[in-house]
Amino acid sequence: GIQVEQSPPDLILQEGANSTLRCNFSDSVNNLQWFHQNPWGQLINLFYIPSGTKQNGRLSATTVATERYSLLYISSSQTTDSGVYFCAGANAGKSTFGDGTTLTVKP
Amino acid sequence: GAGVSQSPSNKVTEKGKDVELRCDPISGHTALYWYRQSLGQGLEFLIYFQGNSAPDKSGLPSDRFSAERTGGSVSTLTIQRTQQEDSAVYLCASSPSGPGELFFGEGSRLTVL
């Protein structure tokens, strides 16, 4: 099956800083998503982005499908951005998740 | 409802008892997934249903775990003779057509004493 590697595993930022999270896949995927898991455990959909670039407010994502990676950009981080960010990809059937990046934004 | 609904939200049981967890997907979604998340860990795939096709059961950790999906809608995950290592949050997701964009419920937290 597909292997998903996320980096960095942990990230600590001061409020207002920018960050980039990365997701590498061992094989081509035709479904790719980014999620934010909040402190209450709820998985929030951020982006469904098999290829290209999308933006939603302070967040944006880019997937380079031919090179099997995706990037999530967080600008002007806020304390409410804290939590775990997961990427997940599939090329047939089930989606495989990475181990996540734990983001802590300090006031 | 508008989103994926899971019940119960919390379940505490004794070792050896059977438990059933329920998932009601978004109306019209043909694909349904079960994942498990142990404390501080990532999401572990359990089983995937797509329409009338045979489910992908490749992630079920043992024969104590089973799942069914009735009428292409509601799904029940059953764990027989629960063990302490089964303690986790069990997450259900649905997508409009599989595979595709996943939408998760809030999960069922299972604690086995």
Side-chain angles (χ1 to χ4, degrees):
Chain A
I2 298 170
Q3 306 299 312
V4 183
E5 181 180 334
Q6 289 191 244
S7 60
D10 299 281
L11 186 58
I12 300 174
L13 300 175
Q14 207 64 38
E15 197 168 30
N18 303 327
S19 62
T20 301
L21 282 59
R22 186 178 178 106
C23 186
N24 288 334
F25 294 89
S26 62
D27 200 352
S28 300
V29 295
N30 49 27
N31 288 282
L32 196 158
Q33 277 185 264
W34 284 95
F35 297 89
H36 175 215
Q37 189 167 43
N38 63 23
W40 297 271
Q42 178 68 35
L43 279 163
I44 309 299
N45 287 28
L46 296 179
F47 296 101
Y48 176 69
I49 185 168
S51 63
T53 297
K54 291 186 177 180
Q55 181 158 5
N56 184 3
R58 296 181 296 103
L59 273 60
S60 64
T62 295
T63 295
V64 184
T66 54
E67 298 188 19
R68 305 196 301 270
Y69 74 88
S70 184
L71 302 173
L72 177 69
Y73 305 96
I74 304 174
S75 65
S76 304
S77 58
Q78 301 177 358
T79 56
T80 51
D81 294 332
S82 295
V84 184
Y85 290 79
F86 289 103
C87 64
N91 59 16
K94 65 188 185 225
S95 285
T96 300
F97 281 73
D99 288 339
T101 291
T102 301
L103 175 64
T104 303
V105 181
K106 296 188 173 183
Chain B
V4 177
S5 179
Q6 292 190 243
S7 62
S9 54
N10 280 286
K11 176 71 175 179
V12 179
T13 191
E14 293 179 347
K15 178 181 173 181
K17 295 287 181 69
D18 297 351
V19 297
E20 287 189 349
L21 307 176
R22 176 189 168 105
C23 174
D24 199 344
I26 294 172
S27 178
H29 281 196
T30 61
L32 187 148
Y33 307 74
W34 284 98
Y35 286 83
R36 177 170 72 172
Q37 187 176 29
S38 301
L39 187 63
Q41 303 297 310
L43 275 74
E44 174 189 6
F45 168 77
L46 297 178
I47 188 168
Y48 161 53
F49 296 90
Q50 169 52 38
N52 296 321
S53 302
D56 177 353
K57 303 180 181 180
S58 61
L60 295 179
S62 77
D63 59 7
R64 296 186 296 105
F65 288 73
S66 63
E68 63 177 20
R69 189 178 186 192
T70 54
S73 181
V74 172
S75 177
T76 301
L77 177 68
T78 301
I79 309 172
Q80 296 179 309
R81 304 181 302 282
T82 52
Q83 304 294 311
Q84 288 184 333
E85 60 263 29
D86 299 335
S87 297
V89 177
Y90 289 81
L91 291 155
C92 176
S94 68
S95 70
S97 60
E101 184 175 8
L102 304 183
F103 296 86
F104 278 88
E106 295 190 354
S108 292
R109 181 178 299 277
L110 174 66
T111 303
V112 182
L113 302 177

